[in-house]
């Protein structure tokens, strides 16, 4: 038989939601949900599906994902995170709510190295959450600001999500990296303003003004680590290396710093780092394969065209379409990991954005920022779960503070939708050939 579009969508989406409710891992749920449709439709065969899955892996750019994860794990294992925290302390700790500002600043620095929000939440949270609690900060606020600031890991370049997005949508990764820089800084400013208000209301302490000697010692200790994003982003924007090659450079540089410069990583430690990296990378890459099958079947049954036709009939403009896109990404981010959401929802909504004259790079930034917020919103909220576990708190206990901190961040998202030039300015200036539609 030939399965109709309505029946195929019902089986795919309904089956996936049922499996997720039954607590089947998302990567497996996406693959299993496709089986009934493949068995029912005579036009589809298991070999065709396996071929589509193989094609999704046959991408040189996706090799960047495990290497950026390796760089992040090496930074954490090599105690380089401690040096970044000390640098952030001398730069921002003197302001009201000192350690809260340090939390935000170190997330910015770590984001420029790792490209991973979960690595940020785990590495920085283990140090800063106990330190903030010890200095009199409310544990719920400490968890909330740690989780919310860690989302910059996938917005400030380099970003693993941007690499996946660029590979799936055939968009310049260098342009995406540049487009994420200003939104990332805007989110950091919004977070620091929120910390300032909290500090005034609850009389949180400062870390004290650093001396010139302390500043120099912190800068000298973390200076080499801070150069990582210069090599990574500068190499890509300058056309010297590809994103995958830049990820290898980041991992190699992190290894040299940890083993030979700072001497905080041993051969035994390196073995554990490789194991953890392989384990996390395999989870992400397996999800890419099953999500690609799911997304391809949606395209096979013309779902993107139906959505485009429906929105075109409503005659809405770029701003309303941008709100619709952001809302969908925010909703899916509540339940699904960002990488499979990019592959499924991103490919479905790409023609919708194009029909509304939303620039591909602007569409990417709207999607990535929206998905980043999903990392701190239950029930998925992986960064929130990690941060809460460090403080031994229930997620429900910190939700009020998370909502308060998220409000200014959501305002930044609205500004990105209303004024796409915010994200497009840097890539237009530095890589104009990559942003021409």
């Amino acid at each position: 038989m030939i399965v109709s579009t309505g029946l195929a969508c019902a089986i795919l989406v309904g089956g996936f939601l049922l499996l997720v409710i039954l607590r089947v891992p998302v990567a497996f749920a996406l693959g299993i949900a496709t089986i009934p449709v493949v068995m029912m439709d005579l036009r589809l065969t298991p070999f065709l599906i396996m071929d589509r899955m193989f094609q999704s892996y046959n991408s040189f750019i996706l090799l960047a994902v495990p290497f950026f994860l390796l760089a992040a794990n090496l930074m954490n294992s090599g105690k380089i995170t401690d040096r970044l925290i000390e640098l952030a302390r001398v730069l921002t700790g003197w302001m009201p709510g000192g350690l809260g500002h340090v939390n935000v600043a170190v997330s910015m620095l770590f984001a420029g190295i790792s490209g991973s929000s979960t690595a940020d939440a785990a590495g920085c949270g283990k140090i800063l959450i106990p330190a903030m609690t010890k200095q009199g900060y409310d544990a719920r606020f400490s968890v909330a600001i740690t989780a919310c600031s860690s989302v910059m890991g996938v917005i400030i370049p380099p970003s693993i999500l941007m690499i996946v997005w660029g590979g799936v949508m055939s968009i310049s990764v260098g342009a995406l990296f540049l487009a994420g820089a200003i939104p990332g800084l805007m989110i950091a400013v919004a977070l620091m303003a929120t910390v300032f208000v909290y500090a005034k209301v609850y009389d949180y302490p400062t870390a004290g003004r650093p001396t010139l000697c302390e500043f120099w010692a912190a800068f000298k200790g973390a200076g080499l680590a801070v150069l990582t994003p210069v090599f990574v982003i500068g190499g890509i924007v300058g056309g010297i290396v590809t994103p995958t090659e830049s990820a290898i450079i980041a991992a190699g540089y992190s290894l040299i710093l940890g083993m030979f410069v700072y001497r905080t990583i041993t051969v035994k430690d390196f073995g554990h780092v490789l194991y953890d990296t392989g384990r996390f990378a395999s989870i992400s890459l397996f999800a890419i394969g099953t999500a690609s099958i799911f997304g391809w079947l949606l395209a096979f049954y013309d779902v993107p065209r139906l959505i485009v036709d429906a929105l075109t009939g409503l005659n809405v403009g770029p701003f309303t379409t941008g709100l619709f896109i952001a809302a969908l990404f925010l909703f899916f981010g509540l339940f699904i990991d960002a990488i499979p959401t990019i592959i499924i929802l991103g490919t479905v909504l790409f023609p919708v954005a194009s029909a509304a004259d939303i620039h591909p790079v602007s569409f990417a930034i709207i999607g990535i920022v929206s998905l980043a917020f999903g990392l701190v919103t239950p029930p998925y909220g992986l960064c929130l779960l990690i941060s809460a576990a460090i403080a031994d708190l229930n997620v429900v206990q910190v939700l009020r503070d998370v909502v308060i901190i998220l409000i200014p961040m959501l305002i930044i998202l609205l500004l990105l939708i209303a004024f796409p030039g915010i994200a497009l300015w840097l890539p237009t200036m530095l890589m104009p050939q990559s942003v021409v539609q």
Side-chain angles (χ1 to χ4, degrees), residues 125-155:
K126 287 177 183 176
I127 301 170
L128 285 173
I129 291 175
M132 290 178 71
T133 304
K134 186 177 180 181
Q135 285 202 13
Y137 291 79
D138 188 289
R140 293 169 298 180
F141 169 72
S142 304
V143 168
I145 195 64
T146 301
C148 290
S149 64
S150 68
V151 306
M152 289 187 288
V154 295
I155 299 172

Side-chain angles (χ1 to χ4, degrees), residues 1-308:
M1 64 178 289
I2 295 178
V3 179
S4 66
T5 298
L7 179 59
C9 285
I11 293 173
L12 287 170
V13 178
F16 170 70
L17 292 176
L18 176 62
L19 290 167
V20 169
I21 291 171
L22 294 174
R23 303 189 69 81
V24 175
V26 169
F28 290 94
L30 288 168
I32 295 170
T34 65
I35 294 175
V37 175
V38 175
M39 300 302 293
M40 292 169 63
D41 199 317
L42 295 175
R43 297 171 294 177
L44 301 172
T45 66
F47 295 103
L48 176 63
I49 298 304
M50 290 172 64
D51 179 65
R52 299 303 306 183
M53 188 172 184
F54 173 77
Q55 287 185 33
S56 69
Y57 291 132
N58 191 23
S59 171
F60 178 68
I61 198 172
L62 289 182
L63 281 174
V65 174
F67 281 107
F68 272 123
L69 286 173
L70 176 59
N73 286 337
L74 286 168
M75 286 287 177
N76 280 331
S77 179
K79 308 299 182 185
I80 297 173
T81 305
D82 297 16
R83 297 173 183 268
L84 294 176
I85 290 174
E86 181 59 22
L87 177 60
R89 185 189 69 78
V90 299
L91 290 174
T92 63
W94 52 271
M95 293 186 284
L99 276 183
H101 295 293
V102 170
N103 204 319
V104 177
V106 77
S107 290
M108 288 178 61
L109 294 172
F110 196 86
I113 297 171
S114 72
S116 170
S117 289
T118 50
D120 185 343
C124 302
K126 287 177 183 176
I127 301 170
L128 285 173
I129 291 175
M132 290 178 71
T133 304
K134 186 177 180 181
Q135 285 202 13
Y137 291 79
D138 188 289
R140 293 169 298 180
F141 169 72
S142 304
V143 168
I145 195 64
T146 301
C148 290
S149 64
S150 68
V151 306
M152 289 187 288
V154 295
I155 299 172
I156 292 177
S159 161
I160 289 174
L161 295 191
M162 290 178 184
I163 291 168
V164 174
W165 194 295
V168 172
M169 314 281 184
S170 299
I171 299 173
S172 166
V173 174
L176 293 179
F177 279 1
L178 290 174
I182 293 178
L185 290 174
M186 291 173 67
I187 289 173
V189 171
L191 286 170
M192 295 183 83
T194 307
V195 171
F196 183 85
V197 173
Y198 262 89
K200 289 297 184 181
V201 172
Y202 296 102
D203 195 27
Y204 287 147
T206 66
R209 289 187 177 274
T211 63
L212 192 60
C213 290
E214 288 177 323
F215 178 82
W216 172 245
F219 182 78
K220 186 171 65 173
L224 291 175
V226 174
L227 286 176
T228 306
V230 176
F231 297 142
V232 172
I233 301 165
I236 295 174
V237 173
I240 302 171
V241 294
T242 66
T244 300
E245 291 165 346
S246 71
I248 295 170
I249 290 171
Y253 185 66
S254 301
L255 178 62
I256 291 170
L257 288 182
M259 292 193 76
F260 303 109
V261 178
Y262 300 137
R263 297 184 179 181
T264 49
I265 298 178
T266 64
V267 174
K268 183 179 178 181
D269 294 331
F270 185 55
H272 290 302
V273 169
L274 287 177
Y275 170 75
D276 288 338
T277 302
R279 186 160 55 91
F280 286 118
S282 63
I283 295 170
S284 299
L285 294 173
F286 181 68
I288 288 174
T290 54
S292 296
I293 298 169
F294 195 95
W296 181 82
L297 283 174
L298 290 177
F300 180 81
Y301 287 105
D302 261 354
V303 173
R305 183 184 61 80
L306 294 175
I307 296 175
V308 170

Side-chain angles (χ1 to χ4, degrees), residues 307-309 311-312 316-318 321 349-358 437:
I307 296 175
V308 170
D309 291 344
L311 286 177
T312 303
V316 296
T321 304
L349 293 179
F350 188 70
V352 176
S354 299
D357 292 326
I358 297 175
Q437 283 186 294

Side-chain angles (χ1 to χ4, degrees), residues 334-350:
L334 294 173
F335 307 100
I336 310 176
D337 185 56
I339 289 178
T341 305
I342 287 171
I343 297 169
I344 298 169
L345 194 60
T347 51
V348 169
L349 293 179
F350 188 70

